[in-house]
Amino acid sequence: MSLPEAFCIAHFGGITFYPKSCGKNVLLRPGVVVGTAGSFDYSKNPIIGNNVKFGAHSCVLGGVEIGDNVVIAANAVVVKDVPSNCVVAGVPARIVRYLTENNNQKE
């Protein structure tokens, strides 16, 4: 896998990153885990969209798809697909906020 444009690792430390594919403008923070949930089948790895920001120690596991313009909060565990333009948080992760087209938070 080749890294996309504007791929940024902020304060590298303990990152495991094995997506099936990855979009542009992705930001990883320390402790992020992206990969399979106990399987070595590469086809079941996550698909990461464009403009995705991973909070510290967040996890994305299994064959899930992360949409464009998504923020994954610190310590979140994503095990289901995430639509575009939202913020997810929690264990398991759920949508806590939607984002407008210019990425400002919308109540």
Side-chain angles (χ1 to χ4, degrees):
M1 179 191 84
S2 62
L3 294 178
E5 291 180 32
F7 183 85
C8 179
I9 298 175
H11 306 288
F12 176 78
I15 294 172
T16 302
F17 192 72
Y18 290 104
K20 183 175 181 181
S21 66
C22 183
K24 298 177 182 178
N25 301 319
V26 172
L27 172 65
L28 299 179
R29 291 191 175 87
V32 168
V33 175
V34 175
T36 60
S39 169
F40 293 103
D41 184 355
Y42 184 74
S43 67
K44 295 181 181 175
N45 287 20
I47 297 172
I48 309 300
N50 297 315
N51 306 313
V52 177
K53 296 177 182 175
F54 291 86
H57 303 283
S58 58
C59 296
V60 177
L61 302 172
V64 300
E65 186 169 343
I66 307 298
D68 296 337
N69 308 312
V70 170
V71 177
I72 301 171
N75 297 310
V77 177
V78 179
V79 292
K80 293 183 179 178
D81 291 350
V82 176
S84 294
N85 304 310
C86 67
V87 177
V88 295
V91 179
R94 63 181 178 79
I95 298 171
V96 295
R97 188 168 306 263
Y98 288 94
L99 303 172
T100 61
E101 289 182 24
N102 61 1
N103 288 339
N104 291 326
Q105 293 184 357
K106 177 173 71 173
E107 296 297 325

